[in-house]
Amino acid sequence: MDRVNATTPSASSADDPARATFAALRSPEGEQLLAELRDHDPADELATATRLRRTHPAELVSAALGQARLRQRAAVKFGAEDAYRMYFTPNGVEQATRTSVAAHRAARFAGLGVRSVADLCCGIGGDAIALARAGISVLAVDRDPLTAEVARANAEALGLGELIEVRCADVTEIDTAPYDAVFVDPARRGGRGRIFDPEAYSPPLSWAATAALKAPRAALKIAPGIPHEAIGPEAEAEWISDGGDVKEAVLWYGEGFAPGSFRATLLPSGATLSAHAPLPAPPVGPVGRYLYEPDGAVIRAHLVADLVERCGGRLVDETIAYITSDEPYSSSYVAGYGITDELPFSMKRLKALLRERQIGVLTVKKRGSAVEPEELRRRMKLSGPGSATVFLTRVAGAPTMLIGHPLG
């Protein structure tokens, strides 16, 4: 196997221009520049750069502007209070876990009495920070010298330096025996973008799972689109959504978890739906008065049948994750809609109906349709005070339009 998470620990920042630039950013002059750029408008960047270069080195100004842009992007994941104290790399912002998800994971560890974690492939330290804030001591390991320095700087910036030890090393050579748990976050991006084959992760999923099974407890972060057949029976698989968007999946190993089970967790509420074995295929039937759209985490975890059973409903099509019923059903795991119309797919017919009802605001949702929502809205030429939701889907295999409105 190729070396993963390898490092060149002998190289100093003086030998590495990127690390030298980062060191300059952390100097008093660099920190002053970053503070000045906190609220800068990217549209004014050229004028800002010209002004700052009159009193600061051009290379430092460029680095500070780049870091300011990264902090603005990171505020979505980390919140402004943390993001504007932290440091980032472009890959670090892209791949870091958002704070809400990392905090959920840390809370599960802490709730089981975990007090120390080896965080392998730590990146810029997002998960290490959440673990430390849960009172857990962390060994954070990454192969890239610059990334390791950024993680260390973030621990110090947030006052967590005493709980987080950052080490630039090869994760395959780390002795995890002294730790209560292991967390592995393999790199899932390469030079050509996202990596979909779990064995092409760095390190590969098979290595990460082996490392996880050696620990008393472990968590392995994976892409939410992972095929279920790639998940071993030793793991509890959890899909996590935040604000309705599926963010990631995590495999849990060891004492306190449920091997072979599947779980969907919704943040920020923390609502969790789980099953130890898949239910039989749910019934399929005609569209009723109500339509329910399951949260994406529920769909990814293959728990739609559980919701169908709970609401006493049925699917509109055996291949589509829309649930329908004749009675209202309320649950945090679904968004509910009252259905007023069911029509065969026809742009002309939809346009006439929307015009007749004076619909000026149209929400377009689709499953099993190739139509692009923006193109549909453009062709409808909407006008009027009303609003509606249209579902472009299949019902019993036929392209269908369902029109309705959100419940509540």
Side-chain angles (χ1 to χ4, degrees), residues 343-351 380 401:
L343 306 168
F345 178 79
S346 166
M347 288 279 199
K348 183 177 180 180
R349 195 166 176 182
L350 178 62
K351 185 176 181 179
M380 291 301 101
M401 304 181 300

Side-chain angles (χ1 to χ4, degrees), residues 293 322 335 337 350 354 359-366 372-374 376-377 380 382 386-392 402-406:
E293 181 182 27
Y322 282 140
Y337 298 83
L350 178 62
L354 297 176
I359 300 299
V361 178
L362 183 67
T363 300
V364 182
K365 292 180 172 288
K366 67 169 193 170
E372 291 300 326
E374 289 303 324
L376 183 141
R377 272 190 288 263
M380 291 301 101
L382 301 168
S387 63
T389 300
V390 60
F391 296 86
L392 307 177
L402 304 176
I403 294 95
H405 54 82

Side-chain angles (χ1 to χ4, degrees), residues 29-52:
E29 184 178 11
E31 291 181 353
Q32 178 189 338
L33 271 175
L34 288 173
E36 187 173 340
L37 289 169
R38 177 185 171 110
D39 299 316
H40 96 288
D41 185 347
D44 298 330
E45 189 163 298
L46 180 58
T48 301
T50 301
R51 173 176 58 81
L52 292 176

